[in-house]
Amino acid sequence: MTINTHLQQLKGSYLFTEIVNRTQAYKTVHPDAHILRLGVGDVTRPLPPAIIDAMHRAVDELAASKTFRGYGPEEGYVWLKQAIIDNEYRPRGVELGLAEVFISDGAGSDLGNLSELFDSTNRVAILDPSYPAYVDSSKMAGRDIIFLPSHAENKFVPDLPKQQADIIYLCFPNNPTGAVLTLDQLKLWVDYAREHKSIIIFDAAYECFIQDKNIPHSIYEIPGAKEVAIEVRSYSKVAGFTAVRCGYTIVPKETGLQTMWLRRQCTKYNGTSYVAQRAAMATYTPEGKKGLAANLNYYKQTAQVISGGLTALGYEVYGGENAPYIWCRTPNKMASWEFFDLLLNQCQVVCTPGSGFGPAGEGYVRFSAFSPRKDCEEALIRMKEL
Ligand SMILES: *Cc1c(COP(=O)(O)O)cnc(C)c1O
């Protein structure tokens, strides 16, 4: 056997381990310190009762012989796929067929697995900074990557690639910068992909944080996008399902990839948990919608608290409006990790160093609206003394 050297050569996931290590080291020396974690990239609010009830009912069904279920369809139950079409897409003028909706155990798996549809010689374009999964899964497949730097000077929206990019990962609203694209800006990418016969993998995990009416929620709001785009979504952020695990991916027939993806899934994926799909279904009930909105509003208000607070302290901040992330320029051109250490040592505040998301993230840190509100308020008070 010879191993996949591309995978072997990947560096360890340095960012989050390093954050934990430095925080732990501080705690060892200062055991009584009250550390405020503002870097949290995971949801923190409990699931709404309507979701929990639906999961309980699903579990009870599995407990009785009359209602017991075994394997479901690999691509997900029709009732959930229909609910997604009816609730997420039709209201935005996007018509999809049931066969184009694939239920998954979350965006993470699909974002990595979709890479299998394409030859390893394809060149990939990825925003820098970005969520690490795009870079790592491209590297595992041995593909060349074109990095597209996004920074304050281009308002975190990079220019189109100058070279041929075959696969393009886009994530809007963006993690970590919080940037969004208008319809016209997103159209440029769709036009590029159509012209260059590229495929866009559109990560819409933060779609639910869009507040601005002019920002598209789905890439399919752009005419012609169905030929060149796969859209990946998740219940992780909108419904707090990071532990439940459920998401979905749209592979339109027009891409010519829908049957291939179905074939791949039927071989390598035996379907999403019934309980998780019932939980996802409950997000579309009136009670479920209310519960989701309450949690999302809480996060959105926390985003305002952080963003407003940092601005008042004189920081240069981006994002936070249509995304749960506040992207903050470090003061005095400090390096990301230098500012991380300063905040940890002087204020006992933990943030996420921007350089961990790619070289263009250097000089920025990310604050998260998933952090407990009172920790954010306390952090801002402490940072005033800085
Ligand atoms: C959180 C997140 C997701 C969701 O991942 P799941 O596997 O569905 O939990 C997807 N993309 C980005 C950029 C994220 O930050």
Side-chain angles (χ1 to χ4, degrees):
M1 131 354 229
T2 51
I3 56 169
N4 178 346
T5 50
H6 302 301
L7 214 166
Q8 188 198 25
Q9 280 159 13
L10 276 185
K11 287 191 220 85
S13 64
Y14 164 79
L15 178 62
F16 293 100
T17 19
E18 186 63 16
I19 292 173
V20 170
N21 289 348
R22 292 196 192 198
T23 310
Q24 205 49 52
Y26 183 85
K27 247 199 130 136
T28 310
V29 184
H30 308 89
D32 298 329
H34 177 209
I35 294 178
L36 306 170
R37 288 177 174 62
L38 269 62
V40 195
D42 194 356
V43 292
T44 44
R45 308 281 295 164
L47 297 177
I51 310 295
I52 295 296
D53 291 346
M55 290 173 81
H56 278 295
R57 281 197 302 273
V59 169
D60 287 341
E61 281 182 53
L62 299 182
S65 55
K66 262 200 180 145
T67 46
F68 172 78
R69 290 169 189 250
Y71 289 120
E74 286 89 345
E75 65 292 8
Y77 283 101
V78 165
W79 35 263
L80 180 55
K81 301 208 282 180
Q82 192 64 55
I84 289 166
I85 293 173
D86 296 345
N87 288 277
E88 308 281 0
Y89 290 99
R90 187 162 303 135
R92 303 198 180 277
V94 177
E95 284 302 327
L96 292 172
L98 283 168
E100 297 173 313
V101 183
F102 293 84
I103 311 299
S104 69
D105 62 0
S109 323
D110 282 1
L111 287 166
N113 295 335
L114 282 164
S115 162
E116 286 180 24
L117 296 180
F118 314 107
D119 187 82
S120 64
T121 57
N122 283 292
R123 206 165 330 126
V124 188
I126 302 175
L127 267 60
D128 169 23
S130 83
Y131 185 62
Y134 321 134
V135 175
D136 288 352
S137 58
S138 302
K139 283 190 180 165
M140 284 182 201
R143 297 203 175 95
D144 288 337
I145 303 174
I146 307 166
F147 288 100
L148 308 170
S150 36
H151 34 63
E153 291 66 34
N154 59 17
K155 297 194 167 66
F156 303 98
V157 180
D159 292 336
L160 296 163
K162 303 229 168 9
Q163 315 95 306
Q164 166 76 25
D166 306 303
I167 305 169
I168 302 165
Y169 285 92
L170 293 180
C171 173
F172 290 100
N174 189 264
N175 177 9
T177 68
V180 285
L181 293 186
T182 62
L183 212 64
D184 289 342
Q185 285 174 315
L186 186 54
K187 185 179 181 299
L188 293 176
W189 291 89
V190 170
D191 291 346
Y192 173 97
R194 291 171 63 89
E195 195 186 316
H196 293 78
K197 310 226 175 300
S198 330
I199 187 88
I200 297 172
I201 299 178
F202 191 75
D203 183 347
Y206 295 99
E207 164 278 325
C208 56
F209 283 93
I210 296 174
Q211 310 205 69
D212 188 331
K213 297 231 176 336
N214 300 316
I215 303 298
H217 288 241
S218 165
I219 193 166
Y220 305 121
E221 291 178 50
I222 316 288
K226 275 189 183 170
E227 284 155 48
V228 293
I230 292 173
E231 182 162 289
V232 180
R233 289 200 186 185
S234 171
Y235 293 98
S236 281
K237 309 298 158 44
V238 65
F241 279 21
T242 52
V244 176
R245 308 308 304 149
C246 195
Y248 53 96
T249 290
I250 309 298
V251 186
K253 289 222 163 100
E254 291 91 326
T255 57
L257 299 165
Q258 184 270 343
T259 48
M260 263 177 77
W261 182 242
L262 178 63
R263 187 72 186 78
R264 189 262 172 219
Q265 290 296 82
C266 288
T267 302
K268 295 200 181 180
Y269 186 63
N270 264 349
T272 307
S273 143
Y274 176 67
V275 178
Q277 291 190 67
R278 279 294 177 202
M281 190 66 187
T283 66
Y284 300 117
T285 62
E287 282 309 304
K289 283 180 183 172
K290 256 188 250 164
L292 261 53
N295 280 349
L296 284 174
N297 283 335
Y298 182 88
Y299 294 137
K300 286 173 187 171
Q301 281 166 21
T302 307
Q304 275 178 15
V305 167
I306 301 173
S307 158
L310 289 172
T311 306
L313 292 178
Y315 288 95
E316 192 180 322
V317 297
Y318 302 93
E321 233 170 286
N322 297 292
Y325 298 120
I326 293 91
W327 191 240
C328 176
R329 178 107 73 164
T330 62
N332 310 319
K333 297 197 181 346
M334 283 173 96
S336 300
W337 277 111
E338 201 185 337
F339 187 52
F340 172 94
D341 286 335
L342 181 77
L343 282 184
L344 178 60
N345 288 304
Q346 303 293 316
C347 309
Q348 297 76 50
V349 167
V350 177
C351 63
T352 312
S355 56
F357 297 99
E362 183 59 276
Y364 296 89
V365 294
R366 190 191 74 176
F367 292 98
S368 165
F370 296 128
S371 315
R373 175 86 51 82
K374 61 175 188 1
D375 284 9
C376 298
E377 287 160 351
E378 171 67 21
L380 288 161
I381 293 168
R382 292 186 193 173
M383 285 173 73
K384 208 169 179 169
E385 315 285 305
L386 205 63

